[in-house]
Amino acid sequence: MKEFFGFGGYQREAEGFMSWQHLTFVTSLMVVMVALAVFFGRRNKNRSDKAKNLVLIWAAVLIDSLELFKIVLLCFRAKDPMDWLYNLPLFLCSIQLIAIPLAAFSKGKVREAALDFVCIFGILGALLGTYGAGQNYGAYPVLSFDNVISGITHSISGFASLYILISGMASMKKEDIPICLSILCGFCIAAYVANILVDYNYMFLMRGDGTPYDILYNLVGGHEVFYPLGVVVLFFAYIAMFYWIFFLARKKKQAKVAV
């Protein structure tokens, strides 16, 4: 247990990013994630909003509880008491720690926008935080506290995203797009300021750190302005693409029903 939780540092060598151990572990998580989302989504599709929302409540409680436990343990494990500054929830996937509870517990426009935000970024965060997490799987053993908890929390984000889609909870109204963009921009600004103050890499706005963001980082030569702007532009492009695909799929479904 001491080795699993990393007290005193991991004695095992990391199997490596994109090793068969890494791919097997995260693929297992993705299979469970999709299976649960399909099961609960299809079961609750025609049920009341209260019944649908109960699943999101559980997802919100689980993801926040696990993340809080992780932050507390990492701070307890750290030698420097100021290490908590490097465990702030300021990554793209971390937004779900707020967005999922908002989707589960709020009402009105805020809830609609939160549901859409979780729907849009949950699955992306799940894939980037498992298959694309080179900074984790290149540094820690696959079956370690750091990677297991990270894998589970990212999978919960992906589960929530797919569940919202399958159960029909996403409204994806055009008038809610500015709210989604505001949430994203607010976190990007907070993350960038934190990066400057504590010399870190929240939201991967400073460098790629072994993730797919390295492609953009190398493309712009690590430019201090063009790289973070490029990351934000990629976020916007992803949102636009997601809405386009969603509206296209909705239009085809409506056309099929009309026939």
Side-chain angles (χ1 to χ4, degrees), residues 24-38 131 155:
T24 300
F25 175 64
V26 298
T27 299
S28 300
L29 289 175
M30 293 299 101
V31 169
V32 173
M33 176 190 83
V34 173
L36 289 175
V38 171
Y131 288 104
S155 297

Side-chain angles (χ1 to χ4, degrees), residues 5-153:
F5 286 106
F7 288 104
Y10 293 110
Q11 303 304 310
R12 294 168 292 153
E13 290 186 9
E15 292 85 352
F17 179 53
M18 289 297 170
S19 63
W20 70 265
Q21 294 95 333
H22 166 211
L23 295 177
T24 300
F25 175 64
V26 298
T27 299
S28 300
L29 289 175
M30 293 299 101
V31 169
V32 173
M33 176 190 83
V34 173
L36 289 175
V38 171
F39 172 75
F40 285 109
R42 294 188 65 179
R43 189 190 71 171
N44 293 343
K45 189 174 181 66
N46 298 315
R47 293 188 176 184
S48 66
D49 187 63
K50 184 178 181 180
K52 292 179 180 180
N53 198 54
L54 183 60
V55 175
L56 280 185
I57 290 175
W58 275 104
V61 171
L62 283 173
I63 193 171
D64 278 14
S65 298
L66 287 170
E67 189 66 19
L68 181 61
F69 175 61
K70 184 188 81 172
I71 292 173
V72 170
L73 189 135
L74 290 182
C75 290
F76 181 73
R77 194 177 70 181
K79 297 178 181 178
D80 187 345
M82 297 305 291
D83 271 5
W84 65 270
L85 291 172
Y86 307 108
N87 292 302
L88 298 174
L90 288 174
F91 286 102
L92 176 63
C93 310
S94 305
I95 306 177
Q96 303 299 339
L97 300 173
I98 297 174
I100 296 177
L102 278 177
F105 296 105
S106 62
K107 296 180 180 180
K109 281 286 183 183
V110 174
R111 182 170 187 264
E112 285 184 358
L115 283 168
D116 291 350
F117 191 92
V118 174
C119 183
I120 293 169
F121 280 104
I123 190 65
L124 177 66
L127 294 174
L128 289 178
T130 52
Y131 288 104
Q135 78 285 5
N136 275 3
Y137 291 95
Y140 311 120
V142 171
L143 295 180
S144 63
F145 175 79
D146 296 73
N147 284 331
V148 170
I149 293 296
S150 177
I152 292 174
T153 54

Side-chain angles (χ1 to χ4, degrees), residues 229-256:
L229 285 177
V231 172
V232 177
V233 168
L234 285 177
F235 291 153
F236 286 176
Y238 173 75
I239 291 175
M241 182 183 69
F242 193 98
Y243 269 97
W244 178 72
I245 294 174
F246 185 90
F247 290 143
L248 188 64
R250 177 184 282 176
K251 187 175 181 181
K252 285 186 176 181
K253 185 178 180 179
Q254 290 173 345
K256 188 180 290 187

